[in-house]
Amino acid sequence: MQIRASPLLITAPVSNLQKSQFISLGFKASRAASMAATPELSSEAFKDGWFTEKSTMWPGQGLSIQYDVILYNARSDFQHVVVMSTKAYGKVLLLDGVIQATERDEHSYQEMIAHLPMAALETPATRVLVVGGGDGGVLRELSRYPGVKEIHMAEIDKMVPEVSKKFLPQMSVGFQDPRVQLHICDGIKYVQDAEEGSFDVIIVDSSDPVGPAEVLFEEPFFRALHCAVKPGGIVCTQAESIWFHLPIIESLAGMCGRIFEGGSVSYAYTTIPTYPSGQIGFMLCCKARPTQGPGSGEAPVDPRVARQTPGNVIPPLGVKELQYYDANVHSSAFVIPKFAKDAIGKHLTFQGK
Amino acid sequence: MQIRASPLLITAPVSNLQKSQFISLGFKASRAASMAATPELSSEAFKDGWFTEKSTMWPGQGLSIQYDVILYNARSDFQHVVVMSTKAYGKVLLLDGVIQATERDEHSYQEMIAHLPMAALETPATRVLVVGGGDGGVLRELSRYPGVKEIHMAEIDKMVPEVSKKFLPQMSVGFQDPRVQLHICDGIKYVQDAEEGSFDVIIVDSSDPVGPAEVLFEEPFFRALHCAVKPGGIVCTQAESIWFHLPIIESLAGMCGRIFEGGSVSYAYTTIPTYPSGQIGFMLCCKARPTQGPGSGEAPVDPRVARQTPGNVIPPLGVKELQYYDANVHSSAFVIPKFAKDAIGKHLTFQGK
C-alpha cells in the first residue's frame, strides 16, 4: 500500500515538520533513500499496539493511542509518513512521529484556522493562499465561500496529498474544488515570490519553531507574508499552545506587532483532543489599510467579529456540514485565560485589557 | 511517607471516584485491607518511568506522563491514592489510577468549577457546600469571597485532605480559611440530610457515571441537590467532556431540565491539559426563584453573566492570585462548538439557539 514519492528539487533551507502543516522542508534525502525499504517504526513510539507521541516540544508527556493496523509507512523526501487506523480516532496521519490529523477531531483545527480569518474580513475574499495543509482539510473549508475565485496551495511534499487522497477522503475532498491550484514547491519561496498584496487571506500551517523549522517563526518569512497579503487582509498562522509555549507565543506576537504596524495582531485558540495539551492557537495578523497608519485615526480590522458566513453544506463538492465553527465560537475563541493574557496581552491589539 | 487511613463508617451506597472529586464511596474495604502493605503499582499503568492513564471511559487512548518519584502510595478505605512527582506537571495526585490534580494546571479546574456558579449569583453567597474536593483547591477559590460566612465540605475519604496537606500546599491552603468546616462523611447522605434551601451554591466534583458512581448522575441525588440549594442558587457539577461523552451529557442535561423546572440549565467548559481530551465541562443548574415558574414571566438566572467578582489575592490566607478566571473567560466558557450545541442545545435554557 506504499506510495513512493518522487524526489523533489529543494531550493530553500530545510526543516522538519511537526504540527498540522506539510510545508515542511525536510532533510535532503537522496533518491536512494526515498526509494528505500519501508522504514522501521521506532520502538520508543510504537510498542505493544500503542503509539505514544513524544517530542522535545512537550517533554515528559505524550498522548498514547491504541492502533489496529499501520495502513501506510513510508519516507518521503522530507519526512516519515504514517497512517494508522485506531478505534478511538479513526484514521490518524503522523509526520515524523507527530499527530497531524485524525478523522475524529480534525474538523476543529481545519475549520478554525480557515474561518477565523475568512469570516473576519470586511470584504469577502477572492484570492486565498494556503502554505502547507497537504491533507486538503483547509481547502475543504475554503470551498464554503462562493465569492472565492482562486485557492492556491503551496505544499512541498507531494506524498501528503497522495496519501490523503488514498486514506483520508473527508479531508482530501477539498482537492475536488475546481478553484484549487496545488503547487508542489517550497512554501517560503512561494510567498517571497508572490505579487505584493495579491492575497486576501494567507493561512500558514507552520511547524514548531525548533531546529530548522525555526525560520517559519522568524522575521523574513513574516515580512514576506506581510508583503503578499492585501491591505485589510489577514495572515493566520498556527501558533502553539498557551499551556506549553507562552514564551514562543509572546515572542511571535511581539514580532507580528512590529511587522503588521498599523494593523492588528490577535491570538485565538481551538480545542482538539489529539494535539498536545488538547488545544492549539492561531496568530491572526491584519495588514493595515491604506487609510490607516499612525495618526490616521481609523481603527484596524478587529478579527474577533465574524463578518462573513461560510456555507454549511456544499453538496456539489461533497463537502459536509460544519461541525465546530459558528459565529459565537468565532468570537469566544479570542477569549484567553488570565495567565495567557497576563503574558502576551501587551502585544495583542484588542485583547490586552 | 505513607499516611494510613482509619477505617470509616460507610452508611450509604458506595462508588469509586474518578475525576476531581473525592466524595467517592469506594468499595467496602476491611480494616485489615486498609492496613495492608503498600499496594503494588499496576505494571499496565506504571512502566519504564512513565504513567499512562487508561480507563474504560476513554478507551484506546490515555495521557502518558514521565515521573521521577512516587512520593506516596497507599490504599484508603475507599480508593488507591498515589502522589508522584513529575517534571512536566509538578506533583500529581492520582485516585484509582486517574489524574485528579496536578500542580501545573489544577487552577483551571478549581477556579472554573468555583467561580462560574459563585460569580453568576444575583445575590452574593453566604453559605456554600462542596461535595468532594478533598484536595482543598475549591476551598481556596471560595475563600476569595468576603461575603461568604460558611464553607462546608462533605468529603468521605479523610486520606485525601491529609495527603493534600502533606504534598500539595498550593491546594490545601484552602483548609486554612476559618470559615471552612470539613465533614468526613458520605456526600450524598450529607446533601439528603441538609435543610431545604440552605445553600447558595453547591459544587459537586462528581466521578464518572460508570459502575457504582452512577448514582451521582442519577435523579435521586439531583433531587436532593435541588432541595438543598436556595431558590435563585446554583448547583455546579462536573459534567464530562463534550469530545468523549456527549450522550452522557445529553442525558444529564435532560434530567436537570426536569428537576430544575422553572430555573435554568447551562453547560460550560474549561481547558486543562491533564484531563482526558484536554478539557472538562460543568453543568450549572439554577433553582427557580419563588416568583418564577411556568407562566410567571420572570426570566430564570442566566449564569453566563458574571455578576460577582472574586478577590484576586488574599494575603492573610496565603491565597495567591487568580490564574485562569476572569469575567470574560466566565462568559465565553458557555460558548460550545456546533457539534455539541447540536447534540445538547435542546436541553439548555440559553444555549440552544
Side-chain angles (χ1 to χ4, degrees):
Chain A
M1 303 184 75
Q2 188 171 331
I3 300 167
R4 292 189 186 278
S6 305
L8 297 171
L9 187 63
I10 305 175
T11 57
V14 294
S15 68
N16 273 335
L17 294 189
Q18 294 208 31
K19 184 53 58 195
S20 296
Q21 83 326 338
F22 311 103
I23 62 171
S24 143
L25 308 176
F27 42 86
K28 290 197 182 183
S30 69
R31 182 177 188 99
S34 77
M35 292 303 185
T38 303
E40 277 193 23
L41 299 175
S42 133
S43 61
E44 170 83 354
F46 295 86
K47 200 190 291 188
D48 303 331
W50 286 73
F51 162 76
T52 298
E53 186 195 47
K54 293 177 183 171
S55 163
T56 55
M57 284 292 285
W58 45 90
Q61 61 186 303
L63 182 63
S64 297
I65 302 180
Q66 192 173 27
Y67 62 90
D68 298 320
V69 184
I70 303 294
L71 297 169
Y72 185 80
N73 174 24
R75 194 173 289 285
S76 76
D77 288 316
F78 309 101
Q79 53 204 339
H80 184 186
V81 181
V82 167
V83 179
M84 59 185 187
S85 86
T86 74
K87 280 195 184 59
Y89 289 101
K91 278 176 269 184
V92 177
L93 174 65
L94 306 175
L95 293 183
D96 284 342
V98 174
I99 296 168
Q100 304 295 316
T102 86
E103 287 186 316
R104 180 159 171 198
D105 65 4
E106 56 88 20
H107 59 79
S108 158
Y109 179 80
Q110 319 266 25
E111 290 183 18
M112 294 295 274
I113 200 170
H115 301 307
L116 289 177
M118 290 293 287
L121 290 177
E122 292 182 332
T123 308
T126 58
R127 201 159 181 271
V128 184
L129 169 63
V130 183
V131 181
D135 60 17
V138 171
L139 300 177
R140 177 192 70 207
E141 296 310 314
L142 294 173
S143 75
R144 299 184 191 274
Y145 295 87
V148 169
K149 301 277 188 291
E150 294 177 27
I151 304 172
H152 293 269
M153 170 171 281
E155 161 62 60
I156 204 170
D157 192 345
K158 67 180 266 189
M159 187 185 278
V160 178
E162 285 172 353
V163 167
S164 184
K165 285 173 188 171
K166 191 167 175 68
F167 295 104
L168 304 167
Q170 78 187 22
M171 288 174 248
S172 58
V173 66
F175 288 106
Q176 292 178 29
D177 190 317
R179 297 167 294 180
V180 169
Q181 297 179 45
L182 173 61
H183 312 279
I184 299 295
C185 65
D186 166 20
I188 295 182
K189 187 162 188 314
Y190 188 90
V191 174
Q192 286 170 336
D193 291 347
E195 197 180 331
E196 184 175 342
S198 55
F199 292 102
D200 297 283
V201 162
I202 304 176
I203 293 167
V204 184
D205 278 348
S206 87
S207 60
D208 295 320
V210 284
E214 211 171 333
V215 292
L216 300 174
F217 280 69
E218 286 179 355
E219 206 159 318
F221 183 52
F222 274 83
R223 290 217 175 272
L225 290 169
H226 178 265
C227 181
V229 75
K230 273 185 195 164
I234 303 179
V235 172
C236 180
T237 74
Q238 189 269 99
E240 305 299 327
S241 164
I242 54 167
W243 280 102
F244 293 167
H245 303 124
L246 267 184
I248 291 169
I249 298 169
E250 184 184 351
S251 162
L252 180 66
M255 180 185 73
C256 290
R258 292 190 298 277
I259 294 175
F260 287 81
E261 193 191 348
S264 68
V265 176
S266 306
Y267 186 86
Y269 77 95
T270 192
T271 69
I272 178 162
T274 57
Y275 283 173
S277 85
Q279 66 178 76
I280 197 161
F282 312 103
M283 198 68 74
L284 283 95
C285 304
C286 305
K287 186 171 179 176
R289 288 162 295 191
T291 52
Q292 286 171 3
S296 75
E298 189 179 333
V301 172
D302 183 346
R304 298 175 300 176
V305 183
R307 299 175 182 86
Q308 313 297 328
T309 308
N312 192 22
V313 188
I314 319 288
L317 292 174
V319 172
K320 296 182 181 159
E321 71 175 21
L322 286 159
Q323 293 182 69
Y324 197 92
Y325 178 90
D326 68 19
N328 291 328
V329 170
H330 181 122
S331 297
S332 70
F334 292 85
V335 180
I336 56 178
K338 185 172 175 295
F339 74 88
K341 195 158 73 168
D342 288 348
I344 65 174
K346 59 183 175 291
H347 298 302
L348 303 178
T349 311
F350 306 104
Q351 294 165 274
K353 287 161 202 159
Chain B
M1 304 184 72
Q2 189 170 331
I3 300 168
R4 292 190 187 278
S6 306
L8 297 171
L9 187 63
I10 305 175
T11 56
V14 295
S15 67
N16 270 336
L17 294 192
Q18 293 209 30
K19 182 54 59 197
S20 296
Q21 82 327 335
F22 311 103
I23 61 172
S24 137
L25 310 176
F27 42 87
K28 291 198 183 181
S30 69
R31 183 178 187 98
S34 78
M35 292 303 185
T38 302
E40 278 194 22
L41 299 176
S42 132
S43 61
E44 170 82 356
F46 295 85
K47 201 190 289 187
D48 304 331
W50 286 73
F51 162 77
T52 300
E53 186 195 47
K54 292 177 183 171
S55 164
T56 55
M57 284 291 287
W58 45 91
Q61 61 185 303
L63 181 64
S64 296
I65 301 180
Q66 192 173 26
Y67 62 91
D68 297 321
V69 184
I70 303 295
L71 297 169
Y72 185 80
N73 174 25
R75 195 174 289 284
S76 76
D77 288 316
F78 309 100
Q79 54 205 339
H80 184 185
V81 181
V82 168
V83 178
M84 59 185 187
S85 87
T86 74
K87 280 196 185 60
Y89 289 101
K91 279 175 269 184
V92 177
L93 173 65
L94 306 174
L95 293 183
D96 285 342
V98 174
I99 296 168
Q100 304 295 316
T102 86
E103 287 186 314
R104 180 159 171 197
D105 64 5
E106 55 88 20
H107 60 79
S108 157
Y109 179 80
Q110 320 265 26
E111 291 183 18
M112 294 295 275
I113 199 170
H115 301 307
L116 289 176
M118 290 294 286
L121 290 177
E122 291 181 331
T123 308
T126 58
R127 202 161 180 270
V128 184
L129 170 62
V130 183
V131 180
D135 59 19
V138 171
L139 300 177
R140 177 192 70 207
E141 296 310 314
L142 294 173
S143 75
R144 300 184 192 275
Y145 295 87
V148 169
K149 302 276 188 293
E150 294 178 27
I151 304 173
H152 294 269
M153 170 171 283
E155 161 63 61
I156 203 169
D157 192 346
K158 66 179 266 190
M159 187 185 279
V160 178
E162 286 172 352
V163 167
S164 184
K165 285 173 188 171
K166 191 167 174 68
F167 295 104
L168 304 167
Q170 78 188 23
M171 288 174 248
S172 57
V173 67
F175 289 106
Q176 293 179 28
D177 190 317
R179 297 167 294 179
V180 169
Q181 296 179 47
L182 172 61
H183 312 279
I184 300 293
C185 65
D186 166 19
I188 295 181
K189 188 161 186 315
Y190 188 90
V191 173
Q192 286 169 338
D193 291 347
E195 197 180 332
E196 183 175 343
S198 56
F199 292 103
D200 298 283
V201 162
I202 304 176
I203 294 167
V204 184
D205 278 347
S206 87
S207 61
D208 296 320
V210 284
E214 210 171 336
V215 292
L216 300 173
F217 280 69
E218 285 179 355
E219 206 159 319
F221 183 52
F222 274 82
R223 291 217 175 271
L225 290 168
H226 178 264
C227 180
V229 75
K230 272 185 195 164
I234 303 179
V235 172
C236 180
T237 74
Q238 188 271 98
E240 305 298 327
S241 165
I242 53 167
W243 280 102
F244 293 167
H245 304 124
L246 268 184
I248 290 169
I249 298 169
E250 183 184 352
S251 162
L252 180 65
M255 180 185 74
C256 290
R258 292 191 297 278
I259 294 174
F260 287 80
E261 193 192 347
S264 68
V265 176
S266 306
Y267 185 86
Y269 77 95
T270 192
T271 68
I272 179 162
T274 57
Y275 283 172
S277 85
Q279 66 178 76
I280 196 161
F282 312 103
M283 197 70 72
L284 283 97
C285 304
C286 306
K287 187 172 179 175
R289 289 162 295 190
T291 52
Q292 286 171 4
S296 77
E298 190 179 332
V301 173
D302 182 347
R304 297 175 301 175
V305 183
R307 299 175 182 86
Q308 313 298 328
T309 307
N312 193 23
V313 188
I314 319 288
L317 292 174
V319 173
K320 296 183 181 160
E321 71 175 20
L322 287 159
Q323 292 181 70
Y324 197 92
Y325 178 90
D326 67 19
N328 290 328
V329 170
H330 182 122
S331 297
S332 69
F334 292 85
V335 180
I336 56 178
K338 185 173 175 294
F339 74 88
K341 194 158 74 170
D342 289 348
I344 65 174
K346 60 182 174 292
H347 298 303
L348 303 178
T349 312
F350 306 105
Q351 294 166 274
K353 285 160 202 161

